[in-house]
């Protein structure tokens, strides 16, 4: 039964499992209700990655900042010692954070970290990844370019990426999409080169390369890939839409290798469409099924030339509250269809399909409400995830939860934006000139709390706590000149950008990430904190990074850009010490699934399930287990 009331402050996942129970759950499998350190506040444990410490050493002129992960399976009172080449460098255990500044140390210093549990020092962690110039380069190799049937030559650029532990060693690996220089928006005709996807370790070792083939068009809306451990075997899988001619990481071809369904305008409006789950370690296609939904009649999606029919989104959600399911979707301008899949024991099982045109949903205002991205989170406090799809939401069981009928938009943010009230909030912008430019609503019910008058095609919108002078998060957009609070009241000038966000410096206020730089918001002007060296942003005017999120070190976020030469992924990690201790955001499943869907459509930053900002309460510990 659903419980539509708002939750008490962070009760659902607010306790860490005691270590013995975590181990028992890892053996027992998923779906169990876990006793926690506070058994009166038990919650269902969620499957997460068994990560190593993710230690990093970021060199500055004054020394090295060493930081590492506080895992969700660690005790609440864990502390740490830091070692350089086997010699302890801290005078007393590190207790209030998960970083340590080693003053005067050289860039090549080698560090490990040892956890202290119940007074007993544990074994060494992995060796720190060294950021000797403030960044770490991961070598990459572009695919060979080519020429389209109409004689246009193209080369390749590194585009969006995701992360997952592909080989089960506890370290995150990178899954990178290569996009041809002639990639197209769906509204643009013309042939494109093939989309190519690589699995890469942090040292640049390429595990595999998948070529999606000529029957998958290239562009921001065609290939949404998900990287996640769906079956709980300790290794991440990779899910993508495929077609005849897709070549997996072992060289095997899916379907017909000779089929070519491209029409003279470069669109692909016939031929079979598939969903394939690839082995993350080898790139082997492990299972392939028909893509749901099928394209059917092209014009039924809103036009006859192939624009709206091929608008895809993807995500990952804990629909049963314990284990992750794959979300694959099609359409948002008119008809929208969302299919939920489980990958268990080497096979796909479709959990449910939500179709705005079905007899159950038709006429209820669900059509035309999708955005260029989606969000995943437990909006109604039942311990299970929902999919927020633009101006509507779908319940964990595949039923429509609500529709606000505020139409399509380019950006949306689901997060705990208001620490004074329990639960999550939701902010989005609208593309339609007849819909509210900004809307702030309750994602449990879809009730609009406030909105701004319609004005324009509002192409950017952001929500996050970037200003310490206001309680809670701020929201702003391209069409407004102010930041606004949870009530819609103006709180100051708008920031210099309305794009991405990053927790970068030592405080809990989030910073502005746009193009190839990070800025800190100020009441009169913004302050530049980082400018990427020799790098380029992705996706044209969207100016997004390859990836941004907490992928290494402590809870703060790394940013990954491609080098201008497309020969490396350049990862930046903060050089600034912090006194705040927060569990790795990778073990907050709302943040982790947000990192997974970041590449979908118009990229958006991930948000955790709790308020992380100025004046925040002590961050909750997650109730999780590892395979």
């Amino acid at each position: 039964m659903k419980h539509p009331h708002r939750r008490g402050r962070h009760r659902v996942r607010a306790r860490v499992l005691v270590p013995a129970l975590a181990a028992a759950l890892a053996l027992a499998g998923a779906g169990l209700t876990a006793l926690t350190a506070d058994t009166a506040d038990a919650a269902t444990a969620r499957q997460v990655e068994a990560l190593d410490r993710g230690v990093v050493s970021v060199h500055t002129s004054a020394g090295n900042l060493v930081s590492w992960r506080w895992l969700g399976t660690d005790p609440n009172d864990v502390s740490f010692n830091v070692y350089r080449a086997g010699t302890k460098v801290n005078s007393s255990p590190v207790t209030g954070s998960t970083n340590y500044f080693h003053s005067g140390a050289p860039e090549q210093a080698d560090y490990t970290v040892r956890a202290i549990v119940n007074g007993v020092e544990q074994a060494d962690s992995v060796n720190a990844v060294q950021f000797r110039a403030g960044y770490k380069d991961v070598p990459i190799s572009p695919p060979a370019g080519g020429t389209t049937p109409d004689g246009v030559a193209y080369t390749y650029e590194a585009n969006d990426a995701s992360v997952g532990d592909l080989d089960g060693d506890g370290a995150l690996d990178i899954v990178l999409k290569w996009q041809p220089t002639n990639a197209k928006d769906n509204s643009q005709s013309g042939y494109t080169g093939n989309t190519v996807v690589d699995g890469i370790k942090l040292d640049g070792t390429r595990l595999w390369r998948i070529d999606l083939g000529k029957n998958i068009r290239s562009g921001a809306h065609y290939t949404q890939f998900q990287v996640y451990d769906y079956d709980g075997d300790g290794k991440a899988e990779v899910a993508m839409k495929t077609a005849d001619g897709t070549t997996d990481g072992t060289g095997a071809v899916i379907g017909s290798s000779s089929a070519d369904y491209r029409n003279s305008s470069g669109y692909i409006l016939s031929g079979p469409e598939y969903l394939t789950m690839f082995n993350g370690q080898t790139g082997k296609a492990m299972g392939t099924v028909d893509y749901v939904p099928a394209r059917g009649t092209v014009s039924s999606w809103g036009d006859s030339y192939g624009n709206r029919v091929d608008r895809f989104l993807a995500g990952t959600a804990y629909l049963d509250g314990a284990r992750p399911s794959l979300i694959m979707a099609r359409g948002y301008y008119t008809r929208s269809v969302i299919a939920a899949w489980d990958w268990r024991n080497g096979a796909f099982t479709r959990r449910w399909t939500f179709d705005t045109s079905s007899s159950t949903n038709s006429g209820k205002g669900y059509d035309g409400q999708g955005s260029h991205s989606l969000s995943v989170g437990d909006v109604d406090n039942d311990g299970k995830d929902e999919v927020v799809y633009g101006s509507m939401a779908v319940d964990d069981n595949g039923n429509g939860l609500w529709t606000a009928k505020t139409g399509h938009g380019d950006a949306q943010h689901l997060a705990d934006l208001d620490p004074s009230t329990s639960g999550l909030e939701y902010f989005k912008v609208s593309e339609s000139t007849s819909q509210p430019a900004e809307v702030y609503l309750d994602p449990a019910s879809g009730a609009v709390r406030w909105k701004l008058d319609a004005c324009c095609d509002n192409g950017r919108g952001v929500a996050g706590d970037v200003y310490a002078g206001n309680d809670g998060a701020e929201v702003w957009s391209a069409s407004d000149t102010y930041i606004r609070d949870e009530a819609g009241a103006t709180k100051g000038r708008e920031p210099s950008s309305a794009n991405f966000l990053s927790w970068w410096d030592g405080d809990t206020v989030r910073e502005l990430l746009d193009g190839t730089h990070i800025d800190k918001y100020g009441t009169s002007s913004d302050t530049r904190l980082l400018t990427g060296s020799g790098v380029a942003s992705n996706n044209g005017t969207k100016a997004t990074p390859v990836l941004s999120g907490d992928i290494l070190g402590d809870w703060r976020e790394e940013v990954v850009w491609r080098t201008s030469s497309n020969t490396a992924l350049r990862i930046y990690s903060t050089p600034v010490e912090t006194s705040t201790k927060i569990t790795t955001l990778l073990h907050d499943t709302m943040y982790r699934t947000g990192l997974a869907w970041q590449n979908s459509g118009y990229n958006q930053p991930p948000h955790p399930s709790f308020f992380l900002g100025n004046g925040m309460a002590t961050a909750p510990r997650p109730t999780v287990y590892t395979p």
Side-chain angles (χ1 to χ4, degrees), residues 185 221 307-308 311-313 331-336 365-374 389-392 403-412 426 428-439 456-459 542 601-602:
D185 184 82
H221 305 290
N307 179 358
R308 290 169 174 80
R311 300 277 180 162
F312 300 99
L313 295 174
Y332 38 75
Y333 287 116
T334 51
R335 180 190 178 196
S336 297
Y366 288 107
D367 282 322
Q369 302 304 313
S371 286
H372 281 294
S373 63
L374 51 74
Y389 200 82
S391 294
M392 69 177 191
T403 174
K405 303 179 183 179
T406 57
H408 169 75
D410 281 3
Q412 60 180 51
Y426 182 60
K428 73 173 286 289
V429 296
S430 298
E431 183 174 299
S432 171
T433 56
S434 63
Q435 294 287 2
E438 298 178 9
V439 61
C456 49
D457 178 349
N458 195 8
K542 300 301 179 188
Y602 292 163

Side-chain angles (χ1 to χ4, degrees), residues 400-424:
L401 187 62
W402 53 261
T403 174
K405 303 179 183 179
T406 57
H408 169 75
D410 281 3
Q412 60 180 51
H413 296 267
L414 177 69
D416 191 348
L417 302 175
D418 180 6
S420 69
T421 62
S422 61
L424 304 175

Side-chain angles (χ1 to χ4, degrees), residues 140-143 156-158 176-180 195-196 198 209 566:
I140 55 176
S141 299
Y156 278 91
E157 295 176 341
L176 172 67
K177 180 175 75 169
W178 289 97
Q179 195 155 279
T195 300
V196 176
D198 285 352
R209 170 165 283 175
N566 289 291

Side-chain angles (χ1 to χ4, degrees), residues 140 156-159 176 178 516 533-540 544-547 560-570:
I140 55 176
Y156 278 91
E157 295 176 341
N159 191 248
L176 172 67
W178 289 97
T516 57
S533 172
V535 297
S537 61
N538 284 343
N539 302 313
T544 50
V546 168
L547 184 70
V560 185
W561 286 296
R562 61 183 172 95
T563 58
S564 300
S565 62
N566 289 291
T567 57
L569 298 180
R570 185 157 289 173

Side-chain angles (χ1 to χ4, degrees), residues 47-372:
Q47 172 194 308
V48 295
E49 292 152 307
L51 298 171
D52 62 25
R53 288 279 166 215
V55 188
V56 296
S57 170
V58 184
H59 184 65
T60 72
S61 59
N64 296 325
L65 179 72
V66 184
S67 79
W68 58 92
R69 296 177 180 132
W70 182 21
L71 301 171
T73 48
D74 285 330
N76 290 343
D77 59 355
V78 67
S79 57
F80 299 92
N81 285 327
V82 181
Y83 287 81
R84 176 188 173 188
T87 300
K88 188 169 70 168
V89 298
N90 55 306
S91 59
S92 59
V94 180
T95 59
S97 69
T98 54
N99 66 178
Y100 178 81
F101 193 84
H102 191 199
S103 181
E107 63 181 19
Q108 70 271 20
D110 185 25
Y111 297 96
T112 59
V113 172
R114 299 178 190 175
I116 304 169
V117 179
N118 296 325
V120 179
E121 188 178 73
Q122 308 297 300
D124 262 337
S125 70
V126 294
N127 293 75
V129 177
Q130 295 179 341
F131 288 66
R132 294 191 176 190
Y135 58 77
K136 160 75 174 175
D137 273 358
V138 178
I140 55 176
S141 299
T147 305
T148 56
D150 54 355
V152 176
Y154 61 89
T155 57
Y156 278 91
E157 295 176 341
N159 191 248
D160 297 334
S162 192
V163 289
D165 183 1
L166 300 178
D167 55 8
D169 65 356
L172 291 181
D173 307 299
I174 298 171
V175 175
L176 172 67
K177 180 175 75 169
W178 289 97
Q179 195 155 279
T181 50
N182 61 353
K184 305 291 185 186
D185 184 82
N186 299 51
S187 62
Q188 301 168 335
S189 63
Y191 293 99
T192 73
N194 297 1
T195 300
V196 176
V197 181
D198 285 352
I200 308 166
K201 295 188 70 65
L202 280 182
D203 64 2
T205 300
R206 193 171 76 206
L207 298 174
W208 44 261
R209 170 165 283 175
I210 295 168
D211 186 335
L212 291 180
K214 64 174 69 75
N215 294 309
I216 296 287
R217 204 165 184 247
S218 292
H221 305 290
Y222 295 102
T223 297
Q224 327 300 335
F225 57 98
Q226 290 296 289
V227 182
Y228 222 88
D229 181 8
Y230 290 105
D231 59 8
D233 68 350
K235 300 178 182 181
E237 291 80 41
V238 181
M240 287 181 285
K241 181 175 179 283
T242 57
D244 280 354
T246 294
T247 304
D248 77 3
T250 71
V253 177
I254 295 172
S256 168
S257 60
S258 60
D260 187 347
Y261 298 106
R262 296 172 295 182
N263 65 23
S264 58
S265 297
Y267 289 99
I268 301 155
L269 304 180
S270 62
E273 300 175 289
Y274 308 120
L275 171 64
T276 299
M277 189 68 78
F278 296 92
N279 184 292
Q281 187 166 6
T282 66
K284 177 181 175 61
M286 299 186 293
T288 296
V289 294
D290 288 338
Y291 191 86
V292 176
R295 68 171 69 85
T297 303
V298 171
S299 60
S300 69
W301 297 89
D303 61 69
S304 59
Y305 69 97
N307 179 358
R308 290 169 174 80
V309 68
D310 274 356
R311 300 277 180 162
F312 300 99
L313 295 174
T316 296
Y318 289 75
L319 299 174
D320 66 359
R323 302 184 69 184
S325 298
L326 172 67
I327 303 296
M328 299 298 282
R330 182 178 217 144
Y332 38 75
Y333 287 116
T334 51
R335 180 190 178 196
S336 297
V337 183
I338 306 168
W341 298 88
D342 290 339
W343 175 257
R344 309 280 188 261
N345 302 315
F348 279 113
T349 303
R350 187 151 35 115
R351 180 177 281 267
W352 48 254
T353 304
F354 175 89
D355 188 342
T356 61
S357 67
S358 71
S359 58
T360 301
N361 300 316
S362 180
K364 294 183 178 179
Y366 288 107
D367 282 322
Q369 302 304 313
S371 286
H372 281 294

